[in-house]
């Protein structure tokens, strides 16, 4: 029996960094697409998320990659909420 503890501090730091980078990337790319056409931004975001979801879902149990998956999920969700808020507030 092995006694492997979860590296919460390191893992959450990695997840936070990945979340920040992902949120900025998705936000900036989406803002550029919104200037072309808002529906284009929505469709391409859904296609990108749908394409990445199966890969990320498979990685969620791998010890190191699970922190990247957490960060990517939080980053994309945060970017989408920020874009929705900006759209609703004008």
């Amino acid at each position: 029996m092995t006694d492997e503890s979860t590296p919460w501090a390191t893992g959450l730091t990695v997840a936070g960094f990945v979340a920040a980078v992902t949120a900025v990337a998705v936000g900036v790319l989406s803002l550029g697409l919104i200037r072309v056409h808002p529906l284009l931004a929505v469709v391409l975001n859904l296609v990108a998320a749908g394409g990445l979801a199966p890969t990320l879902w498979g990685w969620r149990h791998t010890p190191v990659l699970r922190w990247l998956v957490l960060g990517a999920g939080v980053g994309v969700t945060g970017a989408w909420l920020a874009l929705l808020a900006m759209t609703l507030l004008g």
Side-chain angles (χ1 to χ4, degrees), residues 7-88:
W8 287 100
T10 305
L12 290 175
T13 302
V14 168
F17 180 76
V18 171
V21 170
T22 302
V24 169
V26 170
V28 168
L29 291 173
S30 296
L31 285 174
L33 289 171
I34 286 172
R35 290 182 180 159
V36 175
H37 195 284
L39 187 57
L40 178 65
V42 171
V43 170
L44 287 179
N45 266 297
L46 291 175
V47 168
L52 281 175
T55 300
L56 294 178
W57 189 257
W59 287 355
R60 74 188 190 286
H61 292 299
T62 305
V64 173
L65 296 179
R66 64 182 167 193
W67 300 110
L68 300 176
V69 172
L70 174 64
V74 168
V76 168
T77 303
W80 285 358
L81 290 174
L83 289 167
L84 181 63
M86 288 189 311
T87 302
L88 293 177

